[in-house]
Each structure stands twice: as structure tokens, then as C-alpha cells.
Amino acid sequence: MHEVAIAMGMVDELIRIGRENNAKKITAVRLKIGRLSGIVTDSLKFAFDAVKLEHPVLLNAELTINEVPLIYECNDCKKSFDTDNFYFPACPECDSFNLKLVSGEEQDIENVEMEV
Ligand SMILES: [Zn+2]
């Protein structure tokens, strides 16, 4: 499962952040996950909750996932719109395929709360 690898990468990153801040415990983590990232957020949560058990600093970390919609801006008429069409999005205003991705690819740690 793709999400397990992502969860492990995030856990490594969180441990690094915790060390840099001399944190005793990480209590909450908020992620920003774009729809185009292909990540199933429920699976990611599940994987994170399993992986964190191996790391005392993360044992009590509560994960929140902020899902970011897929948003494009049309280069022709400048309209921005959100869509579920991952493959062939077109502007709803002028049918153009000349689009710029505004959001949807995020795979970021947005916020970390910790006890030091
Ligand atoms: Zn347009």
C-alpha cells in the first residue's frame, strides 16, 4: 500500500522536526493533502496510527488531514474552478484546456504541535 510508505516518510520527517525542537512529545499533526496526490486519506490515517506506535515521541500524536481540492485557473479567461476530473479537465467557462494548476498536488506537513 502506497500510503504506508508515505506515512513512514512523514514519521521520519516528524521525528526530525521533534529533534530539532527538543520535543518530548508530538501531540498533534496537521497534514495538507491535495486530491491530485492520489493519497487515500483514510488509509494514510490508518497507516500513520500503525507506524507511530514504533516511535515513543509520536505515540500520542493526533493526526488531522486537511484535504485540498483540485483547483485550476484557465489561462484564457482567467476563471478558476475546482474539478474532480483528474485527467482531462477543461474550463467550464470557455472549454479551454489551457489551464494552470493552482492547488491539488500538496503533500505537506502543515502544522505540528509538541511538548518540549
Ligand atoms: Zn476559460
Side-chain angles (χ1 to χ4, degrees):
M1 198 169 58
H2 178 56
E3 284 73 14
V4 175
I6 293 165
M8 288 170 92
M10 279 178 173
V11 162
D12 286 346
E13 179 71 8
L14 289 168
I15 288 170
R16 194 184 59 74
I17 292 170
R19 270 201 204 115
E20 272 175 11
N21 293 282
N22 294 314
K24 280 199 199 73
K25 257 193 245 178
I26 289 177
T27 53
V29 178
R30 196 164 68 229
L31 304 180
K32 220 170 151 179
I33 302 292
R35 299 213 40 189
L36 202 62
S37 68
I39 296 171
V40 181
T41 54
D42 283 348
S43 303
L44 182 59
K45 240 179 177 155
F46 185 80
F48 179 82
D49 283 342
V51 176
K52 77 178 184 185
L53 298 178
E54 293 164 27
H55 304 280
V57 71
L58 285 169
L59 220 47
N60 298 307
E62 200 68 54
L63 183 69
T64 318
I65 296 177
N66 179 11
E67 279 187 81
V68 183
L70 185 53
I71 296 176
Y72 286 96
E73 187 188 292
C74 177
N75 286 324
D76 293 329
C77 73
K78 302 297 171 202
K79 183 184 171 63
S80 50
F81 60 97
D82 62 341
T83 178
D84 286 328
N85 189 334
F86 292 178
Y87 303 107
F88 298 108
C91 175
E93 201 63 36
C94 70
D95 293 327
S96 172
F97 291 103
N98 183 10
L99 307 173
K100 185 175 79 190
L101 185 67
V102 177
S103 78
E105 279 184 316
E106 294 81 353
Q107 246 185 77
D108 308 325
I109 296 172
E110 193 175 27
N111 190 43
V112 180
E113 284 171 33
M114 50 197 137
E115 278 173 25
V116 285

